[in-house]
Amino acid sequence: MNAQLPFHVPAGRAAEGPYALVIDPEKAGWHYSCLRVLDLPPGGRHSLATGGAEWIVLPLSGGCTVRTDDGAAFELAGRESVFSGVTDFAYVPRDVRVRITSGSGGRFALAGARCERRLPARYGPASGVPVELRGTGTCSRQVNNFAAAGAFACDRLIAVEVLTPGGNWSSYPPHKHDECRPGEESELEEIYYFEIAPARGAEPSAERGTEQSTERGPARSTERGTEGFGYQRVSPSGHGRGTDVLAEVRGGDAVLIPDGWHGPSIAAPGHDMYYLNVMAGPGPEREWLIRDHPDHGWIRSTWPGQPVDPRLPLYRAPAGDAR
């Protein structure tokens, strides 16, 4: 039996075979939400059985072809990185075998949820992804609602991307969704998966490309610039497992949120932050209903008087994708 993962999962802590990250219900100690991050070299291929879960194949970098054993096939153009644009994606249902191939290689998130219904495999065009600017001032962030409850049909899976400009606070005010309160709050398990942009204009290190240090201290220099970091807070809500996290997060890290008030997610100045949210739960309706922390919800009342951060949107969904 797999040992249960900690709430903060540093990069590499849950690597398994071709996957840089594997979070399944057994490892997380919950029932529904799943995430795998697949690295493929140029010409690489990988197959998996979806089992009792629905999955979305989401390019983080690079493009790929997704085929199911019952005849569905999708060409995903993908993107250079999570900071370069919205991507297209593929939905694959439970109880099929899927093959993913990539001519140029890349990194691909497989966001999943255990489910009951078997929906058809489908292609999600980048041009169809609703891009939302949420909050104002230093709470400004961009949300790519590619598989939000009202944007793309799934059985239980809800997934979105959030981009936070350097120095801003995201997932704020702190909020929770760990109780089923019809019309007020959903019960959802949640995974945060992080990527951090290198500092813009940073000089490369003299030791180009070595990246030998893995200490979680001050940011280090690499040929990509200076490695960034951020912070994630989760505090106990009085429900569930009493989740309590204050973590410094780097690219490739994940945070598990079975319960609790979560937020802020803080991007260090000079480093834009990306996180992928994967959610699922037992409710009869697939919906994202949250309650703000009573001590901090007042911040929303200040937003109407402030402009949205002028750095947003970091990019827009492309137009004219006819697939």
Side-chain angles (χ1 to χ4, degrees), residues 19-20 63 76 79 102 114 211 225 304 313:
Y19 296 111
L76 303 186
R79 54 189 166 184
S102 179
R114 286 185 174 166
E211 294 194 31

Side-chain angles (χ1 to χ4, degrees), residues 263-285:
S265 304
I266 305 171
H271 296 276
D272 297 336
M273 170 190 280
Y274 164 96
Y275 53 86
L276 170 64
N277 290 145
V278 179
M279 294 169 274
E285 300 294 330

Side-chain angles (χ1 to χ4, degrees), residues 16 45 58 60 68 76 83 103-104 113 121 123 136 176 179 189 198 211 226 245 261 267 277 298 305:
E16 187 176 305
R45 62 182 59 199
L58 180 79
L60 301 174
T68 67
L76 303 186
F83 298 102
S104 58
Y123 174 77
T136 64
K176 77 180 188 77
E179 296 180 84
E189 310 155 349
E211 294 194 31
T226 302
V245 178
W261 304 104
N277 290 145
W298 63 267

Side-chain angles (χ1 to χ4, degrees), residues 5-257:
L5 291 170
F7 294 131
H8 174 216
V9 185
R13 169 67 172 77
E16 187 176 305
Y19 296 111
L21 176 69
V22 175
I23 296 171
D24 59 26
E26 289 76 19
K27 290 184 176 182
W30 58 34
H31 301 287
Y32 298 98
S33 298
C34 317
L35 177 64
R36 302 180 187 181
V37 176
L38 174 67
D39 286 323
L40 286 180
R45 62 182 59 199
H46 179 69
S47 65
L48 73 151
T50 60
E54 57 187 347
W55 298 87
I56 284 179
V57 180
L58 180 79
L60 301 174
S61 64
C64 65
T65 301
V66 179
R67 293 186 174 89
T68 67
D69 62 0
D70 57 1
F74 309 105
E75 296 287 340
L76 303 186
R79 54 189 166 184
E80 182 179 350
S81 80
V82 296
F83 298 102
S84 64
V86 178
T87 185
D88 51 357
F89 60 94
Y91 172 93
V92 292
R94 58 171 294 162
D95 300 322
V96 298
R97 179 162 288 278
V98 179
R99 184 172 62 178
I100 302 170
T101 59
S102 179
S104 58
R107 173 169 277 208
F108 308 95
L110 280 64
R114 286 185 174 166
C115 64
E116 290 74 41
R117 293 189 299 153
R118 190 175 188 274
L119 303 182
R122 279 162 291 135
Y123 174 77
S127 60
V129 174
V131 175
E132 171 191 3
L133 300 186
R134 190 175 295 171
T136 64
T138 55
C139 293
S140 302
R141 59 270 201 184
Q142 174 176 334
V143 184
N144 300 336
N145 289 301
F146 70 96
F152 188 85
C154 300
D155 186 24
R156 293 198 176 273
L157 176 64
I158 298 172
V160 302
E161 300 179 305
V162 181
L163 294 117
T164 307
N168 284 9
W169 284 30
S170 227
S171 286
Y172 198 79
H175 58 278
K176 77 180 188 77
H177 40 70
D178 57 14
E179 296 180 84
C180 182
R181 300 163 61 97
E184 297 180 28
E185 183 180 352
S186 308
E187 182 181 350
L188 297 167
E189 310 155 349
E190 185 163 18
I191 302 166
Y192 276 53
Y193 167 78
F194 294 89
E195 297 282 354
I196 311 292
R200 297 174 182 173
E203 291 296 324
S205 167
E207 298 181 7
R208 297 180 63 85
T210 57
E211 294 194 31
Q212 294 177 352
S213 172
T214 58
E215 295 297 322
R216 291 192 172 263
R220 68 185 189 275
S221 294
T222 72
E223 67 175 347
R224 298 171 296 155
T226 302
E227 183 195 39
F229 63 98
Y231 289 93
Q232 176 67 43
R233 179 71 173 120
V234 186
S235 57
S237 65
H239 296 274
R241 290 154 59 177
T243 305
D244 195 345
V245 178
L246 176 55
E248 180 179 298
V249 293
R250 304 291 182 106
D253 286 11
V255 172
L256 309 182
I257 306 175

